[in-house]
């Protein structure tokens, strides 16, 4: 677990240094497309300028967990619906 945390710290540190160098470059030459974004930066936004990989990873993890939860609930609902449908067909 410590290795993962240190890797995320290193990526975050690299992204911050890349972002600061990109800010300096942006002041002289504004980027014309998203392909000129620095390494480790996924997108720009006006309020804070950068969306970090760490933020994106946290959002992906939360969506993944929510998807698993919804999937299992949906699976239960579908099973219940099918069993009720089969019971009705059997009774007829």
């Amino acid at each position: 677990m410590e290795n993962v945390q240190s890797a995320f710290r290193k990526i975050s540190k690299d992204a911050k240094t890349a972002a600061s160098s990109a800010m300096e470059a942006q002041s002289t030459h504004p980027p014309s497309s998203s392909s000129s974004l620095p390494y480790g930066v996924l997108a720009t936004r006006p309020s804070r300028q950068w969306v970090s990989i760490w933020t994106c990873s946290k959002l992906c993890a939360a969506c993944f967990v929510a998807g698993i939860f919804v999937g299992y609930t949906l699976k239960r609902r579908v099973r219940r619906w099918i069993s009720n449908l089969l019971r009705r067909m059997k009774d007829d």
Side-chain angles (χ1 to χ4, degrees):
M1 187 67 178
E2 291 178 21
N3 292 338
V4 173
Q5 289 176 343
S6 64
F8 276 123
R9 282 190 202 115
K10 183 180 177 191
I11 290 171
S12 175
K13 185 176 164 184
D14 291 345
K16 286 180 185 176
T17 56
S20 64
S21 65
M23 293 278 266
E24 293 170 6
Q26 185 180 12
S27 64
T28 57
H29 301 290
S32 59
S33 69
S34 63
S35 64
S36 62
L37 291 174
Y39 170 77
V41 176
L42 301 177
T44 60
R45 54 179 198 189
S47 63
R48 291 198 178 177
Q49 299 296 325
W50 308 105
V51 178
S52 68
I53 291 177
W54 178 242
T55 303
C56 187
S57 299
K58 288 189 289 187
L59 182 64
C60 288
C63 289
F64 180 73
V65 169
I68 289 174
F69 177 74
V70 169
Y72 278 116
T73 347
L74 186 62
K75 183 179 176 181
R76 259 188 273 145
R77 287 181 186 174
V78 167
R79 279 187 179 173
R80 222 179 294 143
W81 179 74
I82 289 176
S83 67
N84 287 339
L85 184 65
L86 289 174
R87 250 187 250 131
R88 275 191 239 146
M89 288 175 65
K90 187 179 178 183
D91 290 341
D92 289 343

